[in-house]
Amino acid sequence: MASDFDIELKDAVLPLVLALDVGSTASRGAVYDAHGRPVGKRAKVAHSFTTAPDGTSEIDPDQIVEEVTTLLDQLVEALDDTPVAGVALDTFASSMVVVDEDGRPLTPCFTYADSRCADHVAALRVELDEEALQQRTGTRVHASYWPARLRWLAEERPEVTAQAARYLSLGDHVLHRLTGTLGTGTSSAAWTGMVDAGTRPTGTPSWPRSSASPPTSCRPSTTSTSRCRWRSAGRARSPSAGPTSRTPPGTPRSPTAWPPTSASAPTTRRPWGPPAPPPEPCGCWSRRCPTSCRPACGATGSRTTGRWSAARSTTSGARWPGPT
């Protein structure tokens, strides 16, 4: 059912953004105008995971590529040559696709719900300091994250790990197949459970170097494309966004996606430690004073300079001590 915010193309305020969502039950797409209003009809292709009693939960990654291509063609066709300023894609989190040098999948897409690595989760919880790992990566040892899954893969399917050239999230695989670009975003990398929170701009690997290390140490990188293109029926299609990278011309490209150890360049790990404790809450509704406080809290100041006044809360009487 259309919402009250849906508008026709003739009423849209440019620029337009085409948004795609690959979820657990379907791939969906829609176009939005500059005010965030859905433009025209939405598109949807239903799908389901392949599951089994042993914990299997997977889906064909190339099926998702076809679904996304179908959505793109349907949505762009309805725009009647109106330009699209940007394309956004999200997929369900904590997925893995192993590909060869040509980008062909060697495995299905293992979803967040695949629990066949449960035995390795139990083993890693014994071998590792899980609290320290959580402080470093923001994740605990779990079947949804990559370390236990990599161990399971190396043990159960050694022929796959022997041929592996890249370990991709589902979104990374779709990006590569449709645009020819290898890369991953910060959020996708964080969902692997292997990224040091203190070095998130560069994506330095964080898994402890010990007997508990996964069989393949991976390193993420982020790359951006100057133009979004996809292929349909053997020809390139481009809804086209303007340049999205500020990298100076001639700058060497960083290693892409998640290469195995043999393909990884040396990295420098920044020192890290426990995160700094947050400021004392002022007692207001947000509990994160002052950056998210309503004016009723009484804290005043500038987010630009970082200087804030101590203010008495209207709810608890506590005082925010100011920046330290």
Side-chain angles (χ1 to χ4, degrees):
M1 178 181 297
S3 71
D4 294 338
F5 295 100
D6 290 0
I7 60 173
E8 299 296 328
L9 179 60
K10 62 181 178 62
D11 299 319
V13 177
L14 300 181
L16 302 180
V17 173
L18 193 156
L20 301 163
D21 167 57
V22 179
S24 303
T25 61
S27 295
R28 305 171 181 84
V31 175
Y32 296 86
D33 78 344
H35 292 169
R37 298 173 297 181
V39 178
K41 294 182 179 179
R42 298 172 175 84
K44 176 179 177 180
V45 181
H47 59 234
S48 60
F49 295 160
T50 298
T51 60
D54 66 350
T56 297
S57 179
E58 56 191 32
I59 193 168
D60 181 354
D62 283 342
Q63 173 188 337
I64 300 300
V65 174
E66 290 299 320
E67 292 177 6
V68 169
T69 302
T70 298
L71 296 175
L72 287 167
D73 287 339
Q74 290 179 3
L75 293 169
V76 170
E77 184 178 358
L79 292 178
D80 193 25
D81 293 330
T82 304
V84 172
V87 177
L89 168 70
D90 73 82
T91 66
F92 52 82
S94 200
S95 57
M96 178 194 285
V97 182
V98 186
V99 301
D100 64 14
E101 285 288 355
D102 297 322
R104 291 188 297 261
L106 299 172
T107 66
C109 169
F110 303 117
T111 80
Y112 57 87
D114 196 301
S115 60
R116 284 173 286 181
C117 59
D119 290 343
H120 297 283
V121 171
L124 287 174
R125 283 176 176 164
V126 173
E127 297 173 32
L128 295 174
D129 182 342
E130 194 171 9
E131 293 292 338
L133 182 68
Q134 184 179 24
Q135 289 297 321
R136 190 169 191 168
T137 67
T139 62
R140 300 180 73 85
V141 181
H142 193 276
S144 292
Y145 303 130
W146 282 22
R149 187 169 292 162
L150 285 168
R151 272 197 168 188
W152 168 80
L153 195 63
E155 180 178 301
E156 297 295 327
R157 303 183 186 180
E159 73 285 356
V160 169
T161 55
Q163 300 177 62
R166 294 284 190 272
Y167 293 82
L168 308 176
S169 72
L170 179 58
D172 298 341
H173 176 66
V174 173
L175 176 70
H176 182 225
R177 290 297 301 273
L178 298 187
T179 71
T181 298
L182 276 168
T184 192
T186 302
S187 178
S188 294
W191 272 100
T192 66
M194 298 178 65
V195 173
D196 192 322
T199 58
R200 56 185 179 274
T202 57
T204 305
S206 65
W207 196 256
R209 295 185 179 277
S210 68
S211 59
S213 296
T216 304
S217 179
C218 300
R219 184 162 78 94
S221 69
T222 54
T223 60
S224 57
T225 56
S226 61
R227 201 164 181 80
C228 177
R229 296 183 179 273
W230 68 86
R231 299 175 180 86
S232 175
R235 64 186 185 280
R237 295 287 302 276
S238 176
S240 184
T244 58
S245 175
R246 297 177 182 265
T247 305
T251 302
R253 293 183 63 183
S254 59
T256 53
W258 294 77
T261 304
S262 60
S264 298
T267 60
T268 302
R269 188 186 306 281
R270 286 168 41 188
W272 66 277
E280 254 181 61
C282 72
C284 71
W285 71 282
S286 72
R287 307 295 295 174
R288 289 182 290 135
C289 180
T291 57
S292 298
C293 246
R294 286 179 173 170
C297 162
T300 59
S302 168
R303 289 186 175 87
T304 303
T305 63
R307 296 180 178 178
W308 292 79
S309 67
R312 184 168 298 278
S313 167
T314 57
T315 56
S316 69
R319 292 179 66 85
W320 179 64
T324 56

